Each structure stands twice: as structure tokens, then as C-alpha cells.
Amino acid sequence: MRTCLVVDDSRVIRKVARRILEDLGFDVAEAADGAEALAWCRTCMPDVVLLDWNMPVMNGLEFLRRLRKEPGGEAPKVVFCTVENEIPAIREALESGADEYIMKPFDSEIVASKFAEAGLA
């Protein structure tokens, strides 16, 4: 079964995302910030990362840049899931290695659609 690491400082968002992703057939792991997520990836690289941008300790963009430099870090699909909606921010995320971009709030249809666009369906 494929694994998705949900990285968000909001426990509520992680819980909602977990429910949606489990319904889509993913095993789900969680991290509350980028540093925790990077440590998790160094232990067991996930197939996909659902990533928030604004978090304490290490934000999503910094995590993404560091992930892509890790051994095997180019493999996971990374889908940003954030309130950041400015075109320059979206462009920066995609240029830094994100595969897709979801705006909060989100629902199961949006996640399923974006995961399909990223080749995860």
C-alpha cells in the first residue's frame, strides 16, 4: 500500500486529510512541521507528501528543498496544501519541486482530483 505523509501544524487538518487519504487507499503518517517530516522521510521515504506551507520550526518550502536533496528525496510526489494563493508563491513551490498545489479549504473531491493530476490515482 502506498504511504502519504501529511505535514501540517494543525491537528484538525491532519485528521481531515488522514480520513480522505485512507479512503483513497493510502497508509497515512503525520508530522507537525517540516523538521519532523524530514526526520520521518530519512527513516522511511513516503510515496507522497501532502504539505502545508506555513508551519513553525521548518516551513513547507524549506522542507521541500531539503527533501529533494536527500537520498531518494526526488521520488515522492509532493502536493502543497495551503492558504498561500498568490501566483508567485505557487510558482516558487512548483519550481522548488512540488508536483501539485491544493488550496485550503479542501475536500475529498479536490484531493482525489489533484492526486490524479500528479499521477497518484
Side-chain angles (χ1 to χ4, degrees), residues 53 61 64-65 78-104 114:
W53 190 303
L61 193 60
L64 176 59
R65 289 176 174 152
V78 175
V79 179
F80 261 101
C81 182
T82 181
V83 297
E84 293 290 333
N85 63 0
E86 299 295 322
I87 296 297
I90 296 170
R91 184 178 301 118
E92 184 176 17
L94 295 172
E95 288 173 354
S96 295
D99 296 285
E100 265 303 335
Y101 206 93
I102 295 172
M103 299 300 305
K104 288 180 183 174
K114 290 294 186 172

Side-chain angles (χ1 to χ4, degrees), residues 23-86:
D23 287 347
L24 292 174
F26 286 90
D27 275 337
V28 179
E30 299 179 17
D33 60 59
E36 187 179 325
L38 194 58
W40 199 93
C41 290
R42 287 175 175 155
T43 302
C44 181
M45 196 64 72
D47 297 297
V48 61
V49 179
L50 186 65
L51 181 62
D52 187 23
W53 190 303
N54 298 303
M55 298 176 290
V57 184
M58 181 190 300
N59 71 33
L61 193 60
E62 181 63 24
F63 162 79
L64 176 59
R65 289 176 174 152
R66 290 186 184 191
L67 171 69
R68 293 304 192 208
K69 293 178 183 175
E70 290 290 318
E74 69 287 341
K77 298 283 187 177
V78 175
V79 179
F80 261 101
C81 182
T82 181
V83 297
E84 293 290 333
N85 63 0
E86 299 295 322

